[in-house]
Amino acid sequence: MEGRVAQDENTGTNGVSTIPLLTPCKMANFNLSHRIVLAPMARNRSYGNVPQPHAILYYCQRSSKGGLLIAESTGVSDTAQGCLETPGIWTKEQVKAWKPIVDAVHAKGGIFFCQIWHVGRASNTSFQPNGQAPISSTDKPIKPLVEANGEVIQEFSSPRRLRTDEIPKIINDFRLAARNAIEAGFDGVEIHGAHGFLIDQFLKDQVNDRTDQYGGSLENRCRFALEIVEAVANEIGADKVGIRLSPFAAYNEAGDSNPKALGLYMAEALNKYGIVYCHMVEPRMKTVGEKVESADSLLPMRKAFKGTFIAAGGYDKEDGNKAVAENRADLVAYGRLFLANPDLPRRFELNAPLNKYIRETFYTQNAVVGYTDYPFLESIA
Ligand SMILES: Cc1cc2nc3c(=O)[nH]c(=O)nc-3n(C[C@H](O)[C@H](O)[C@H](O)COP(=O)(O)O)c2cc1C
């Protein structure tokens, strides 16, 4: 909150905000001054998988003193990509390129975690080294993504099922990526276990058809995720590790027949490693960007997990305040609203109107348009 005290009408007699989202929160060793988190968002502007200087302004605009930011999904290896111009963190050049971005966020008092990912089968041969097949828990492909008008917008290649003896190498890639993230100056990493990417392809029974110790039972399907958590926590310290999960979502054809049991098993199992946070996507986010009614809830997982719990997906100010006030989450991550409102915490504090997001420029490659040109409150007035 830029070191400012909240407006009078929102401030209790002790000077602490009465808006639940704007109250401080201790997250392991981090003293957060508010609970509004920048959700991880791929912005597809890291040319050649290298973060670019224009990301300095983008992340700086969204930084505040004591605010938590989660960087966009960042590849752990040369087989991890499946989307245009997403950043990586497996080469020295990428680590070096992240440094000024992280330094700039720190200069504004922000706390910055790097989301580390591998897309698995959500890829095609054009993204893979030597045009090889993408890797996954399975050899079943994802069907092409087709628009209502019949136009194919994304095609996926048939994946190659990882052999059991290849799995330690992938776990090691996550470990090294986490080490690199710390070298780049990040405060920690978020392991991307959501949205139908590689880790989720192991977690979900709609995808995972393995017969080894990484498939079949719930315990076996969660093994890959938990071995990554353990390796990363051992490398950089559990107090610097978070994970994102979306047990209820079915993105990239990764649904599960019993998402509640899956979410609960993971929440409980994670306690063993003492990681700093568990970040879960609300059941209402069944498809990308569309909010639907859902009778399911993250509450059992929130209760089971002993660390900081971050909820995300379809939140507005009112809803987020309610989640914190009712103790359903410690922190709330905002995606599209934060993308379009670089000063989102301030706008919530002042009850100011919000900029509308422009979906067409979410994933375009321009270094300014739809990226760093959303106006701040001052410039509107
Ligand atoms: C442009 C864009 C890119 C996204 N990229 C990622 C990503 O890299 N990693 C991830 O876990 N989620 C990603 N998401 C999902 C968001 O983190 C968030 O969960 C989703 O937008 C729902 O929250 P919201 O309703 O606050 O936008 C992305 C969403 C958008 C709009």
Side-chain angles (χ1 to χ4, degrees):
M1 296 308 307
E2 314 286 356
R4 287 169 300 105
V5 175
Q7 290 271 295
D8 287 346
E9 69 265 29
N10 296 329
T11 310
T13 46
N14 57 359
V16 173
S17 177
T18 53
I19 300 177
L21 281 169
L22 295 177
T23 54
C25 177
K26 191 153 170 58
M27 180 182 89
N29 302 323
F30 304 102
N31 291 310
L32 306 183
S33 66
H34 62 80
R35 296 164 188 262
I36 303 162
V37 177
L38 174 70
M41 278 181 288
R43 302 309 320 275
N44 303 69
R45 285 152 167 96
S46 295
Y47 315 136
N49 305 130
V50 179
Q52 299 293 308
H54 47 245
I56 296 176
L57 181 59
Y58 173 74
Y59 283 110
C60 253
Q61 287 178 332
R62 285 155 187 80
S63 301
S64 57
K65 193 167 188 298
L68 174 63
L69 291 83
I70 305 166
E72 62 211 269
S73 44
T74 299
V76 299
S77 69
D78 61 352
T79 62
Q81 276 63 235
C83 308
L84 268 185
E85 316 294 14
T86 47
I89 195 148
W90 74 91
T91 70
K92 283 203 163 50
E93 184 192 7
Q94 292 160 344
V95 173
K96 196 168 157 223
W98 270 116
K99 277 184 182 161
I101 305 168
V102 180
D103 286 349
V105 169
H106 283 159
K108 292 201 75 182
I111 292 141
F112 204 11
F113 272 53
C114 181
Q115 189 186 53
I116 52 174
W117 78 332
H118 192 301
V119 299
R121 69 174 184 163
S123 184
N124 65 53
T125 52
S126 69
F127 290 107
Q128 296 300 316
N130 309 317
Q132 69 192 35
I135 53 174
S136 181
S137 61
T138 180
D139 53 16
K140 288 180 294 189
I142 305 176
K143 289 193 255 344
L145 225 96
V146 183
E147 289 244 328
N149 63 8
E151 191 193 337
V152 175
I153 47 173
Q154 207 175 352
E155 277 192 278
F156 304 98
S157 305
S158 291
R160 181 178 70 78
R161 186 198 310 271
L162 282 165
R163 295 189 314 270
T164 312
D165 67 318
E166 291 177 292
I167 289 178
K169 153 89 172 75
I170 312 296
I171 295 169
N172 199 44
D173 287 340
F174 275 88
R175 182 181 69 79
L176 293 174
R179 181 204 277 182
N180 286 345
I182 298 303
E183 195 190 317
F186 280 103
D187 297 289
V189 299
E190 173 173 291
I191 297 165
H192 194 345
H195 298 163
F197 296 112
L198 183 62
I199 294 175
D200 212 22
Q201 290 160 27
F202 277 81
L203 292 173
K204 302 282 180 65
D205 62 5
Q206 190 188 333
V207 185
N208 186 333
D209 54 0
R210 305 179 69 86
T211 53
D212 62 1
Q213 67 268 36
Y214 293 96
S217 66
L218 181 56
E219 187 185 351
N220 280 356
R221 283 184 280 120
C222 294
R223 190 182 310 281
F224 179 61
L226 294 172
E227 286 184 357
I228 290 173
V229 169
E230 185 171 27
V232 169
N234 285 343
E235 181 67 35
I236 64 170
D239 58 345
K240 298 185 190 70
V241 181
I243 189 167
R244 189 173 221 212
L245 298 168
S246 59
F248 294 94
Y251 307 168
N252 289 317
E253 289 172 33
D256 196 81
S257 60
N258 194 347
K260 196 171 163 187
L262 172 63
L264 204 51
Y265 179 88
M266 281 299 291
E268 278 164 0
L270 288 170
N271 288 330
K272 183 175 153 204
Y273 307 99
I275 61 171
V276 60
Y277 73 72
C278 177
H279 181 180
M280 279 206 187
V281 179
E282 288 285 348
R284 61 190 173 196
M285 302 306 287
K286 280 269 187 299
T287 60
V288 182
E290 296 306 327
K291 194 165 147 182
V292 295
E293 284 298 314
S294 173
D296 289 312
S297 154
L298 297 180
L299 205 54
M301 296 95 197
R302 193 285 189 270
K303 285 186 179 154
F305 183 68
K306 297 205 167 73
T308 298
F309 194 82
I310 310 179
Y315 277 97
D316 59 15
K317 176 185 167 188
E318 193 187 351
D319 206 9
N321 274 327
K322 213 158 164 261
V324 173
E326 291 172 2
N327 199 23
R328 286 185 278 115
D330 298 301
L331 308 174
V332 180
Y334 288 87
R336 291 161 293 176
L337 294 187
F338 221 148
L339 183 156
N341 294 274
D343 49 358
L344 189 68
R346 179 140 188 266
R347 288 180 191 243
F348 280 180
E349 177 190 341
L350 302 176
N351 212 14
L354 300 181
N355 299 326
K356 288 201 171 24
Y357 54 79
I358 303 160
R359 198 181 288 273
E360 291 70 32
T361 52
F362 278 176
Y363 305 108
T364 45
Q365 276 76 61
N366 193 283
V368 177
V369 179
Y371 192 50
T372 49
D373 61 350
Y374 284 103
F376 282 74
L377 266 181
E378 288 80 2
S379 50
I380 298 171

